[in-house]
Amino acid sequence: METVILAVVIAVVVLGALGGLVVGSRRKKPLPPPPTSVPDITAPPAEPHIGDEAETPRDEARRTIEEVDLPDGSAPVAVEEPPVLEVPEPTAGRLVRLRARLSRSQSALGQGLLTLLSREHLDEDTWEEIEDTLLTADVGVAPTQELVDALRERVKVLGTRTPQELRALLREELLKLVGTDVDRTVKTEPEDRKPGIVMVVGVNGTGKTTTTGKLARVLVADGRTVVLGAADTFRAAAADQLQTWGERVGAHTVRGPEAGDPASVAFDAVKEGKEMGVDVVLIDTAGRLHTKTGLMDELGKVKRVVEKHAPLDEVLLVLDATTGQNGLVQARVFAEVVDITGIVLTKLDGTAKGGIVVAVQRELGVPVKLIGLGEGADDLAPFEPEAFVDALIGD
């Protein structure tokens, strides 16, 4: 009996030990991760969050490209949209619309003269002040003397001087100096051929390349087609600058390598202009050179090469109106080489003195045809003597 009891106890102990081993081994095993949810591919996509203002690169790209699916099922191809061309402001009456800007310089000339002429007694000291006012405004010595003599005579005959009478008198005499019977049309429409050819010259820094680009806008606004010739190969940025102006209005730009031959670029521009059948070719030239060749010699070469195609219709000299007498010195040098036919005065927007219009015309014997009145793309205006004088003397 004792033997049986002992055997039962041993069996219970053995079974307990085996059970502990099994439980211990189970506890050592890592628990499996919780089951993940399987996405339902049949469910509709989540709605975008309306409040998000951030834009993905793809969204941004959609503003400028259009994706086109190919018929064979290939990947979509990004097609660039053509650039949106600007519509230049019409040229008719531009100077009148810009009159407020031009009138900023009236205090230096028109209003100063009216104030002096309105004095009760016009003695010699007053007339000297009038002369100084005109000279300070860059009218020039000879034109100043002419105007003072005319005013002396007219005031003496007039006697009593009301503000209205003085203004009418001053306006009339200034118009005589500026000139109203001069043809100020920019010649771009030769009768016997196309295109008209215009060469733009001037010292770097006067706004020459910018003026060429703005002139292209003036012509496009008048319904003309234009080719631009970037013959200023000295400045690395000149061709890029001119091409940007052209692209804005759909004008083709002909350019050559940096530091290349300016005459070659000008020649190619006229050639392409003829082949394309455009109305006008505008050629921007260098204001200084990188070689030992004189600038004037190079400009003369450009002129001769261009004229192998056809005569130049215009040679426009760009002058910075703020340079005063220094600008007149530049004008003389250019006029001796390339036969200037018209003048473009830039920066005539309040920092300049309006009298330079009279002085430069008297110096060169050619008319001011265009004036620049600011930095805006459409701030180049055909010169209109009446509107110009009215802006100088005010209402």
Side-chain angles (χ1 to χ4, degrees):
M1 186 63 179
E2 292 179 355
T3 303
V4 173
I5 294 172
L6 181 61
V8 170
V9 171
I10 293 172
V12 170
V13 172
V14 170
L15 289 175
L18 292 174
L21 289 174
V22 171
V23 172
S25 64
R26 286 180 179 176
R27 288 179 179 174
K28 289 180 182 179
K29 290 182 180 180
L31 296 176
T36 58
S37 60
V38 179
D40 184 4
I41 60 174
T42 64
E47 291 292 330
H49 183 47
I50 303 300
D52 284 342
E53 295 181 359
E55 188 177 50
T56 66
R58 182 179 179 85
D59 292 333
E60 183 178 357
R62 283 174 179 166
R63 295 201 310 267
T64 56
I65 64 172
E66 177 184 1
E67 292 188 351
V68 179
D69 293 323
L70 299 182
D72 59 359
S74 302
V77 177
V79 179
E80 294 186 1
E81 295 180 358
V84 178
L85 298 182
E86 298 179 8
V87 179
E89 184 179 352
T91 58
R94 266 195 194 191
L95 184 55
V96 175
R97 291 192 295 274
L98 299 173
R99 179 175 164 180
R101 187 174 299 159
L102 179 60
S103 63
R104 294 174 191 167
S105 58
Q106 69 183 8
S107 59
L109 182 56
Q111 292 301 313
L113 291 176
L114 285 173
T115 300
L116 291 170
L117 290 170
S118 298
R119 290 181 179 177
E120 186 176 353
H121 300 290
L122 296 179
D123 54 17
E124 288 301 319
D125 290 339
T126 301
W127 286 113
E128 286 183 8
E129 288 185 57
I130 292 174
E131 288 185 3
D132 290 342
T133 300
L134 291 166
L135 292 173
T136 303
D138 285 334
V139 173
V141 176
T144 292
Q145 193 59 54
E146 289 180 22
L147 181 56
V148 169
D149 289 344
L151 290 174
R152 274 178 178 263
E153 184 65 27
R154 297 287 298 276
V155 169
K156 182 178 179 181
V157 172
L158 185 62
T160 303
R161 305 179 304 278
T162 65
Q164 293 77 13
E165 290 172 332
L166 286 174
R167 185 185 182 283
L169 172 63
L170 183 57
R171 182 181 190 275
E172 184 178 338
E173 294 301 329
L174 284 173
L175 280 174
K176 288 181 182 178
L177 281 183
V178 173
T180 58
D181 56 351
V182 180
D183 184 6
R184 301 180 186 276
T185 306
V186 178
K187 302 294 189 300
T188 57
E189 299 181 79
E191 296 180 357
D192 56 342
R193 58 180 168 80
K194 287 178 67 174
I197 306 172
V198 179
M199 188 164 81
V200 183
V201 302
V203 175
N204 284 348
T206 59
K208 179 174 48 61
T209 300
T210 298
T211 296
T212 306
K214 289 182 179 181
L215 179 55
R217 293 180 66 89
V218 170
L219 293 169
V220 170
D222 287 341
R224 319 294 299 285
T225 52
V226 179
V227 161
L228 298 170
D232 183 356
T233 59
F234 174 79
R235 290 192 304 124
D240 292 337
Q241 182 183 358
L242 192 64
Q243 184 167 348
T244 299
W245 279 103
E247 289 173 348
R248 291 176 179 175
V249 293
H252 175 62
T253 301
V254 177
R255 54 189 297 175
E258 184 179 342
D261 182 17
S264 175
V265 176
F267 183 87
D268 290 342
V270 178
K271 179 182 178 182
E272 291 193 30
K274 292 176 69 175
E275 292 173 351
M276 295 171 64
V278 300
D279 298 311
V280 187
V281 174
L282 300 179
I283 302 171
D284 178 35
T285 61
R288 56 194 176 112
L289 295 177
H290 58 288
T291 65
K292 295 181 181 179
T293 306
L295 171 61
M296 298 306 150
D297 292 339
E298 189 65 46
L299 289 178
K301 177 184 176 183
V302 171
K303 182 175 182 290
R304 292 191 300 273
V305 167
V306 168
E307 289 181 333
K308 291 182 179 180
H309 282 295
L312 282 167
D313 298 288
E314 286 277 7
V315 178
L316 298 176
L317 172 64
V318 180
L319 292 177
D320 181 342
T322 65
T323 59
Q325 296 300 314
N326 289 333
L328 296 184
V329 174
Q330 298 171 8
R332 293 190 202 105
V333 177
F334 279 96
E336 292 173 357
V337 177
V338 287
D339 299 325
I340 304 299
T341 60
I343 302 160
V344 184
L345 279 177
T346 63
K347 306 177 187 179
L348 193 66
D349 54 354
T351 58
K353 301 154 188 176
I356 191 66
V357 171
V358 176
V360 72
Q361 289 185 149
R362 193 67 66 89
E363 179 68 32
L364 296 183
V366 296
V368 172
K369 294 191 172 184
L370 298 163
I371 58 174
L373 297 173
E375 300 298 328
D378 292 316
D379 286 345
L380 184 72
F383 183 72
E384 301 167 13
E386 292 83 0
F388 175 75
V389 171
D390 286 340
L392 289 181
I393 62 179
D395 295 324

